[in-house]
Amino acid sequence: MFERVALIGIGLIGSSISHATRRKGLAKEIVGSARTKSTLDTALKLGLIGKGYASAAEAVQGADLVILSVPVGACGPLAAEIAPHLKAGAILTDVGSVKAAVVRDMAPHVPKGVHFVPGHPIAGTEQSGPEAGFAELFDGRWTILTPEPQTDAAAVEKLKDYWTALGSKVEIMSPQHHDMVLGITSHLPHLIAFNIVNTAEHLERVTDKEVIKFSAGGFRDFTRIAASDPTMWRDVFLNNKEAVMEMLRRFSDDLAELKRAIEADDGDTLFRRFADARAIRRGIIAAGQDTPAPDFGRAHGASPGPTDEESGKSK
Amino acid sequence: MFERVALIGIGLIGSSISHATRRKGLAKEIVGSARTKSTLDTALKLGLIGKGYASAAEAVQGADLVILSVPVGACGPLAAEIAPHLKAGAILTDVGSVKAAVVRDMAPHVPKGVHFVPGHPIAGTEQSGPEAGFAELFDGRWTILTPEPQTDAAAVEKLKDYWTALGSKVEIMSPQHHDMVLGITSHLPHLIAFNIVNTAEHLERVTDKEVIKFSAGGFRDFTRIAASDPTMWRDVFLNNKEAVMEMLRRFSDDLAELKRAIEADDGDTLFRRFADARAIRRGIIAAGQDTPAPDFGRAHGASPGPTDEESGKSK
């Protein structure tokens, strides 16, 4: 499908793209660069790339597909760096969780004759780095592409076919709509997860040890999301401010209403709100976007035992 | 261990107690009652109970262990109903997610000579009903008991041994402290999860279908918790108001701070807060309270396919 794919950034997403590309034989050659030498060495050792380059400028030379898999704040500077070295006719894309800001930062640098098609696979885990990737990450998930209307249709189609071959389904929308949709389906959930973990850590009347021990009551679910890469998420919030603020405002208004219902002993409102929330889970499972297995299919009784100190046996 | 265990309420928790009790042969006989005839019939059909009774009053007769597994709001009325029928020397316990209110509602009814030891296994799934239970639910999880200081020590010890045999670890604390700890590790997380799902459902600029399609960005995790039993959760919030309000106040204060950091482009504060949140996840995994597998060990690429209408293929 491509002669030479250049991966700029080889973390969870970059390495998963490599695995999925090789699974289907979609590129003759995969090359890449990474911010740190240690990531580049690991990527070479794991066979994620055939050749590694110290700079992105070198890595993109001769590539007909260039994929930036870096925190969104790094996209603009990288676009400036690689621009003079991009091959005519190449497709340039990214995987950033924010799209309007990435277009704002990258588009001005893209040379004529290079097809810039911003993208975002809605897939991931809480792990980071080149060792975290796997070929199945995109299977059954959605990738959103946000090309400008004037972008070469053949280039958009080719990138769409590539993501489909990587296992993903593809939808096309505007960068602005993408940022609004992801504001509610991803950015606000992460902000809330980070926040409740911070809240739990700073209580005086409940110790961190108690939070950990009794986390199976629900809290532990939030800690998975809150374990995501802090650099990536810092950049998301700095670059999708407006949509995040709008979602946060609505969330806070709704929360104030639930709070009033609790204070007023209004059990009917609480019941109605809680019952409403069940339907969307059924929709997500029916759409193949989550497992139908209870508790995410978590292993039961198979987790490693606690340390003696934590077991509370001496009580 | 017990001659006759009476399960009052046979949903997810009651049925799991039956499975785990039979797994280890901890009772000669398990009997029970349920609010609806259909639950009782299912429990009999599944062999969860040997005998089923139309009323709790009948079910507890002759039982040396009586376990209430019902929404916490139902505990008081049930205690009043069964009190005259409890056997002398019996242990009476519950599994409610709130403890001070349960003690307030149940204790006045408990006859002399019956040992009331309130309890709460910190375990569950988003599923409900007698078919949702399984023997491994409590394995490696914690059960909190909140007896009054004057409670018969042998009865407390026996119930502790029973929960240990069911697979759980046991900790003893005051009802008030329990309610504070669970306020942060369970009640606030559920309130937030219910709330974000409600928020997502009422947006004008993002459709429910888009929320569902792109939920793998984080939102889907919240929907699992938000799919929990609405009656159970209504009763939790009505009965643990103070602790929930305190946790909610702190959560909102912290969220306001994150909001200010985003508005002020304060990337350092965001990074620090996000990085801090990673540590507690490591603690939870080290303590055996969650799986170390990425993404909760969710199956990748194995979920059922979406419908044609949802696949966006026609785009």
Side-chain angles (χ1 to χ4, degrees), chain B residues 86-117:
Chain B
L86 291 167
K87 181 176 149 180
I91 296 175
L92 170 65
T93 188
D94 76 307
V95 301
S97 305
V98 175
K99 295 270 67 78
V102 165
V103 170
R104 175 198 69 200
D105 295 348
M106 285 183 69
H109 301 292
V110 180
K112 242 191 116 168
V114 168
H115 309 296
F116 177 41
V117 187

mmCIF file of all heavy atoms in Angstrom, chain B residues 86-117:
data_model
loop_
_atom_site.group_PDB
_atom_site.id
_atom_site.type_symbol
_atom_site.label_atom_id
_atom_site.label_comp_id
_atom_site.label_asym_id
_atom_site.label_seq_id
_atom_site.Cartn_x
_atom_site.Cartn_y
_atom_site.Cartn_z
ATOM 1 N N LEU B 86 -36.449 -14.277 64.698
ATOM 2 C CA LEU B 86 -35.037 -14.655 64.707
ATOM 3 C C LEU B 86 -34.768 -15.642 65.845
ATOM 4 O O LEU B 86 -35.294 -15.503 66.951
ATOM 5 C CB LEU B 86 -34.159 -13.412 64.869
ATOM 6 C CG LEU B 86 -34.143 -12.454 63.667
ATOM 7 C CD1 LEU B 86 -33.521 -11.118 64.049
ATOM 8 C CD2 LEU B 86 -33.398 -13.088 62.490
ATOM 9 N N LYS B 87 -33.911 -16.593 65.563
ATOM 10 C CA LYS B 87 -33.552 -17.619 66.548
ATOM 11 C C LYS B 87 -32.575 -17.019 67.570
ATOM 12 O O LYS B 87 -31.691 -16.231 67.196
ATOM 13 C CB LYS B 87 -32.881 -18.751 65.756
ATOM 14 C CG LYS B 87 -32.444 -19.951 66.548
ATOM 15 C CD LYS B 87 -31.890 -21.003 65.578
ATOM 16 C CE LYS B 87 -30.796 -21.823 66.236
ATOM 17 N NZ LYS B 87 -30.268 -22.837 65.302
ATOM 18 N N ALA B 88 -32.686 -17.378 68.812
ATOM 19 C CA ALA B 88 -31.731 -16.914 69.829
ATOM 20 C C ALA B 88 -30.331 -17.398 69.446
ATOM 21 O O ALA B 88 -30.159 -18.541 69.034
ATOM 22 C CB ALA B 88 -32.115 -17.441 71.201
ATOM 23 N N GLY B 89 -29.343 -16.516 69.568
ATOM 24 C CA GLY B 89 -27.959 -16.888 69.232
ATOM 25 C C GLY B 89 -27.615 -16.713 67.781
ATOM 26 O O GLY B 89 -26.452 -16.878 67.382
ATOM 27 N N ALA B 90 -28.617 -16.378 66.955
ATOM 28 C CA ALA B 90 -28.352 -16.203 65.518
ATOM 29 C C ALA B 90 -27.465 -14.973 65.268
ATOM 30 O O ALA B 90 -27.451 -14.031 66.063
ATOM 31 C CB ALA B 90 -29.664 -16.054 64.762
ATOM 32 N N ILE B 91 -26.722 -15.028 64.174
ATOM 33 C CA ILE B 91 -25.985 -13.854 63.709
ATOM 34 C C ILE B 91 -26.814 -13.210 62.614
ATOM 35 O O ILE B 91 -27.241 -13.875 61.670
ATOM 36 C CB ILE B 91 -24.591 -14.233 63.172
ATOM 37 C CG1 ILE B 91 -23.724 -14.806 64.302
ATOM 38 C CG2 ILE B 91 -23.915 -13.019 62.531
ATOM 39 C CD1 ILE B 91 -22.368 -15.328 63.846
ATOM 40 N N LEU B 92 -27.033 -11.913 62.764
ATOM 41 C CA LEU B 92 -27.763 -11.140 61.754
ATOM 42 C C LEU B 92 -26.790 -10.161 61.118
ATOM 43 O O LEU B 92 -26.103 -9.411 61.821
ATOM 44 C CB LEU B 92 -28.919 -10.381 62.420
ATOM 45 C CG LEU B 92 -29.644 -9.338 61.554
ATOM 46 C CD1 LEU B 92 -30.368 -9.991 60.378
ATOM 47 C CD2 LEU B 92 -30.639 -8.537 62.426
ATOM 48 N N THR B 93 -26.692 -10.198 59.781
ATOM 49 C CA THR B 93 -25.779 -9.264 59.112
ATOM 50 C C THR B 93 -26.432 -8.739 57.843
ATOM 51 O O THR B 93 -27.542 -9.144 57.474
ATOM 52 C CB THR B 93 -24.415 -9.932 58.809
ATOM 53 O OG1 THR B 93 -23.496 -8.926 58.339
ATOM 54 C CG2 THR B 93 -24.534 -11.003 57.733
ATOM 55 N N ASP B 94 -25.751 -7.798 57.192
ATOM 56 C CA ASP B 94 -26.252 -7.245 55.933
ATOM 57 C C ASP B 94 -25.046 -7.008 55.038
ATOM 58 O O ASP B 94 -23.902 -7.275 55.445
ATOM 59 C CB ASP B 94 -27.013 -5.938 56.171
ATOM 60 C CG ASP B 94 -26.067 -4.782 56.435
ATOM 61 O OD1 ASP B 94 -25.210 -4.919 57.349
ATOM 62 O OD2 ASP B 94 -26.127 -3.770 55.726
ATOM 63 N N VAL B 95 -25.282 -6.543 53.823
ATOM 64 C CA VAL B 95 -24.173 -6.289 52.900
ATOM 65 C C VAL B 95 -24.264 -4.869 52.330
ATOM 66 O O VAL B 95 -23.683 -4.561 51.296
ATOM 67 C CB VAL B 95 -24.174 -7.302 51.729
ATOM 68 C CG1 VAL B 95 -24.055 -8.727 52.259
ATOM 69 C CG2 VAL B 95 -25.443 -7.153 50.881
ATOM 70 N N GLY B 96 -24.995 -4.004 53.022
ATOM 71 C CA GLY B 96 -25.278 -2.662 52.501
ATOM 72 C C GLY B 96 -24.049 -1.782 52.344
ATOM 73 O O GLY B 96 -23.104 -1.854 53.130
ATOM 74 N N SER B 97 -24.107 -0.904 51.343
ATOM 75 C CA SER B 97 -22.985 -0.023 51.016
ATOM 76 C C SER B 97 -22.879 1.177 51.944
ATOM 77 O O SER B 97 -21.962 1.980 51.827
ATOM 78 C CB SER B 97 -23.141 0.488 49.590
ATOM 79 O OG SER B 97 -23.273 -0.594 48.704
ATOM 80 N N VAL B 98 -23.848 1.335 52.848
ATOM 81 C CA VAL B 98 -23.810 2.397 53.853
ATOM 82 C C VAL B 98 -23.957 1.699 55.200
ATOM 83 O O VAL B 98 -24.699 0.721 55.311
ATOM 84 C CB VAL B 98 -24.987 3.372 53.639
ATOM 85 C CG1 VAL B 98 -25.027 4.413 54.743
ATOM 86 C CG2 VAL B 98 -24.891 4.028 52.264
ATOM 87 N N LYS B 99 -23.256 2.148 56.208
ATOM 88 C CA LYS B 99 -23.332 1.422 57.479
ATOM 89 C C LYS B 99 -23.984 2.210 58.613
ATOM 90 O O LYS B 99 -24.778 1.636 59.361
ATOM 91 C CB LYS B 99 -21.933 0.916 57.900
ATOM 92 C CG LYS B 99 -21.367 -0.121 56.926
ATOM 93 C CD LYS B 99 -21.714 -1.579 57.232
ATOM 94 C CE LYS B 99 -23.132 -2.008 57.099
ATOM 95 N NZ LYS B 99 -23.610 -2.238 55.749
ATOM 96 N N ALA B 100 -23.720 3.495 58.771
ATOM 97 C CA ALA B 100 -24.309 4.213 59.906
ATOM 98 C C ALA B 100 -25.835 4.204 59.811
ATOM 99 O O ALA B 100 -26.517 3.944 60.797
ATOM 100 C CB ALA B 100 -23.771 5.644 59.969
ATOM 101 N N ALA B 101 -26.367 4.464 58.631
ATOM 102 C CA ALA B 101 -27.823 4.505 58.469
ATOM 103 C C ALA B 101 -28.443 3.121 58.665
ATOM 104 O O ALA B 101 -29.547 2.995 59.207
ATOM 105 C CB ALA B 101 -28.184 5.045 57.084
ATOM 106 N N VAL B 102 -27.732 2.083 58.251
ATOM 107 C CA VAL B 102 -28.242 0.721 58.431
ATOM 108 C C VAL B 102 -28.280 0.370 59.918
ATOM 109 O O VAL B 102 -29.244 -0.221 60.414
ATOM 110 C CB VAL B 102 -27.386 -0.285 57.621
ATOM 111 C CG1 VAL B 102 -27.650 -1.712 58.068
ATOM 112 C CG2 VAL B 102 -27.676 -0.144 56.122
ATOM 113 N N VAL B 103 -27.246 0.762 60.642
ATOM 114 C CA VAL B 103 -27.232 0.524 62.091
ATOM 115 C C VAL B 103 -28.371 1.294 62.751
ATOM 116 O O VAL B 103 -29.132 0.757 63.564
ATOM 117 C CB VAL B 103 -25.862 0.940 62.689
ATOM 118 C CG1 VAL B 103 -25.917 0.919 64.215
ATOM 119 C CG2 VAL B 103 -24.756 0.017 62.179
ATOM 120 N N ARG B 104 -28.521 2.564 62.358
ATOM 121 C CA ARG B 104 -29.601 3.403 62.890
ATOM 122 C C ARG B 104 -30.975 2.754 62.654
ATOM 123 O O ARG B 104 -31.821 2.717 63.540
ATOM 124 C CB ARG B 104 -29.533 4.760 62.171
ATOM 125 C CG ARG B 104 -30.654 5.753 62.507
ATOM 126 C CD ARG B 104 -30.728 6.845 61.435
ATOM 127 N NE ARG B 104 -31.207 6.300 60.167
ATOM 128 C CZ ARG B 104 -31.030 6.860 58.967
ATOM 129 N NH1 ARG B 104 -30.342 7.988 58.850
ATOM 130 N NH2 ARG B 104 -31.516 6.281 57.876
ATOM 131 N N ASP B 105 -31.159 2.186 61.446
ATOM 132 C CA ASP B 105 -32.482 1.639 61.088
ATOM 133 C C ASP B 105 -32.725 0.227 61.603
ATOM 134 O O ASP B 105 -33.864 -0.154 61.833
ATOM 135 C CB ASP B 105 -32.636 1.626 59.553
ATOM 136 C CG ASP B 105 -32.649 3.025 58.955
ATOM 137 O OD1 ASP B 105 -32.762 4.012 59.726
ATOM 138 O OD2 ASP B 105 -32.536 3.129 57.721
ATOM 139 N N MET B 106 -31.654 -0.577 61.702
ATOM 140 C CA MET B 106 -31.846 -1.994 62.073
ATOM 141 C C MET B 106 -31.684 -2.249 63.566
ATOM 142 O O MET B 106 -32.461 -3.019 64.158
ATOM 143 C CB MET B 106 -30.858 -2.893 61.305
ATOM 144 C CG MET B 106 -31.204 -3.102 59.841
ATOM 145 S SD MET B 106 -30.048 -4.258 59.016
ATOM 146 C CE MET B 106 -30.475 -5.831 59.793
ATOM 147 N N ALA B 107 -30.668 -1.630 64.172
ATOM 148 C CA ALA B 107 -30.304 -1.981 65.562
ATOM 149 C C ALA B 107 -31.489 -1.919 66.536
ATOM 150 O O ALA B 107 -31.625 -2.818 67.390
ATOM 151 C CB ALA B 107 -29.144 -1.106 66.038
ATOM 152 N N PRO B 108 -32.346 -0.908 66.458
ATOM 153 C CA PRO B 108 -33.446 -0.842 67.443
ATOM 154 C C PRO B 108 -34.372 -2.057 67.417
ATOM 155 O O PRO B 108 -35.049 -2.333 68.400
ATOM 156 C CB PRO B 108 -34.211 0.424 67.019
ATOM 157 C CG PRO B 108 -33.233 1.233 66.230
ATOM 158 C CD PRO B 108 -32.359 0.236 65.541
ATOM 159 N N HIS B 109 -34.399 -2.766 66.283
ATOM 160 C CA HIS B 109 -35.307 -3.910 66.171
ATOM 161 C C HIS B 109 -34.685 -5.232 66.622
ATOM 162 O O HIS B 109 -35.402 -6.208 66.816
ATOM 163 C CB HIS B 109 -35.755 -4.070 64.708
ATOM 164 C CG HIS B 109 -36.449 -2.864 64.162
ATOM 165 N ND1 HIS B 109 -37.686 -2.465 64.600
ATOM 166 C CD2 HIS B 109 -36.063 -1.942 63.248
ATOM 167 C CE1 HIS B 109 -38.049 -1.354 63.973
ATOM 168 N NE2 HIS B 109 -37.074 -1.016 63.136
ATOM 169 N N VAL B 110 -33.370 -5.261 66.751
ATOM 170 C CA VAL B 110 -32.694 -6.549 66.981
ATOM 171 C C VAL B 110 -32.954 -7.040 68.402
ATOM 172 O O VAL B 110 -32.644 -6.341 69.370
ATOM 173 C CB VAL B 110 -31.176 -6.424 66.719
ATOM 174 C CG1 VAL B 110 -30.476 -7.752 66.960
ATOM 175 C CG2 VAL B 110 -30.924 -5.918 65.302
ATOM 176 N N PRO B 111 -33.528 -8.239 68.551
ATOM 177 C CA PRO B 111 -33.842 -8.743 69.887
ATOM 178 C C PRO B 111 -32.571 -9.107 70.662
ATOM 179 O O PRO B 111 -31.531 -9.398 70.052
ATOM 180 C CB PRO B 111 -34.670 -10.002 69.611
ATOM 181 C CG PRO B 111 -34.669 -10.233 68.162
ATOM 182 C CD PRO B 111 -33.901 -9.163 67.481
ATOM 183 N N LYS B 112 -32.676 -9.072 71.967
ATOM 184 C CA LYS B 112 -31.574 -9.508 72.827
ATOM 185 C C LYS B 112 -31.236 -10.961 72.488
ATOM 186 O O LYS B 112 -32.128 -11.744 72.206
ATOM 187 C CB LYS B 112 -32.013 -9.410 74.291
ATOM 188 C CG LYS B 112 -31.144 -8.417 75.092
ATOM 189 C CD LYS B 112 -31.388 -8.497 76.576
ATOM 190 C CE LYS B 112 -30.086 -8.966 77.245
ATOM 191 N NZ LYS B 112 -30.092 -8.823 78.685
ATOM 192 N N GLY B 113 -29.960 -11.302 72.497
ATOM 193 C CA GLY B 113 -29.591 -12.684 72.214
ATOM 194 C C GLY B 113 -29.336 -12.936 70.737
ATOM 195 O O GLY B 113 -28.824 -13.981 70.349
ATOM 196 N N VAL B 114 -29.657 -11.974 69.886
ATOM 197 C CA VAL B 114 -29.289 -12.062 68.466
ATOM 198 C C VAL B 114 -28.105 -11.132 68.249
ATOM 199 O O VAL B 114 -28.083 -10.009 68.748
ATOM 200 C CB VAL B 114 -30.476 -11.660 67.556
ATOM 201 C CG1 VAL B 114 -30.005 -11.462 66.109
ATOM 202 C CG2 VAL B 114 -31.569 -12.716 67.617
ATOM 203 N N HIS B 115 -27.086 -11.614 67.510
ATOM 204 C CA HIS B 115 -25.855 -10.844 67.331
ATOM 205 C C HIS B 115 -25.892 -10.114 65.999
ATOM 206 O O HIS B 115 -25.806 -10.740 64.949
ATOM 207 C CB HIS B 115 -24.641 -11.772 67.389
ATOM 208 C CG HIS B 115 -24.644 -12.665 68.593
ATOM 209 N ND1 HIS B 115 -24.549 -12.179 69.882
ATOM 210 C CD2 HIS B 115 -24.773 -14.011 68.722
ATOM 211 C CE1 HIS B 115 -24.601 -13.174 70.738
ATOM 212 N NE2 HIS B 115 -24.735 -14.310 70.052
ATOM 213 N N PHE B 116 -26.030 -8.817 66.082
ATOM 214 C CA PHE B 116 -26.097 -7.992 64.869
ATOM 215 C C PHE B 116 -24.694 -7.486 64.530
ATOM 216 O O PHE B 116 -24.084 -6.740 65.282
ATOM 217 C CB PHE B 116 -27.067 -6.827 65.098
ATOM 218 C CG PHE B 116 -27.156 -5.864 63.942
ATOM 219 C CD1 PHE B 116 -27.172 -6.303 62.614
ATOM 220 C CD2 PHE B 116 -27.237 -4.490 64.183
ATOM 221 C CE1 PHE B 116 -27.258 -5.399 61.561
ATOM 222 C CE2 PHE B 116 -27.329 -3.580 63.129
ATOM 223 C CZ PHE B 116 -27.333 -4.035 61.813
ATOM 224 N N VAL B 117 -24.182 -7.934 63.378
ATOM 225 C CA VAL B 117 -22.842 -7.540 62.922
ATOM 226 C C VAL B 117 -22.967 -7.005 61.501
ATOM 227 O O VAL B 117 -22.947 -7.774 60.537
ATOM 228 C CB VAL B 117 -21.857 -8.735 62.947
ATOM 229 C CG1 VAL B 117 -20.431 -8.251 62.624
ATOM 230 C CG2 VAL B 117 -21.889 -9.449 64.295
#
